């Protein structure tokens, strides 16, 4: 699935964006995830509604688009990231 997603992500890029663009975009999307978490407290009394959960998941998906773009520019895969992280944490 990760390889398919990496190909899909590349096919949805409007042009060949730089690593800087991908990193800044990731930061923006992380901000959107945090904004939905903020609204969980402010608007939903810390009760995770189906609507809020869907919005958070949608924004997390957007972060994956940018992470995948970063991986492409670093010549690695999401699986490489996960393996590296598990090794780091053990």
């Amino acid at each position: 699935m990760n390889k398919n997603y990496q190909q899909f992500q590349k096919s949805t890029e409007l042009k060949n964006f730089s690593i800087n663009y991908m990193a800044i975009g990731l930061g923006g999307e992380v901000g959107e995830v945090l904004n939905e978490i903020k609204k969980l407290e402010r608007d939903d009394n810390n009760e995770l509604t189906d609507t809020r959960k869907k919005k958070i998941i949608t924004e997390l998906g957007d972060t994956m688009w940018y992470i995948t773009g970063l991986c492409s520019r670093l010549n690695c895969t999401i699986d490489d990231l996960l393996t590296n992280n598990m090794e780091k944490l053990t």
Side-chain angles (χ1 to χ4, degrees):
M1 176 61 170
N2 293 336
K3 191 168 199 160
N4 290 339
Y5 187 78
Q6 202 156 9
Q7 292 169 346
F8 168 79
Q9 185 279 335
K10 184 68 175 164
S11 75
T12 60
E13 286 187 26
L14 298 177
K15 65 179 192 174
N16 189 23
F17 294 112
S18 70
I19 194 169
N20 293 342
Y21 178 90
M22 290 295 170
I24 292 166
L26 175 59
E29 292 301 335
V30 168
E32 291 189 35
V33 171
L34 293 172
N35 196 41
E36 289 301 327
I37 301 293
K38 175 194 75 180
K39 291 176 182 177
L40 173 67
E41 183 171 332
R42 184 190 70 194
D43 300 340
D44 303 333
N45 295 319
N46 284 321
E47 188 170 320
L48 185 59
T49 64
D50 288 340
T51 300
R52 186 69 58 212
K53 181 178 177 180
K54 184 176 180 187
K55 288 179 179 182
I56 293 168
I57 289 169
T58 297
E59 296 303 338
L60 285 170
D62 291 345
T63 67
M64 288 304 301
W65 190 91
Y66 285 101
I67 290 170
T68 302
L70 284 166
C71 285
S72 293
R73 279 135 188 91
L74 297 169
N75 296 316
C76 69
T77 65
I78 298 290
D79 288 332
D80 294 334
L81 290 184
L82 298 175
T83 299
N84 183 297
N85 188 253
M86 288 187 297
E87 290 171 358
K88 178 183 106 173
L89 296 175
T90 56

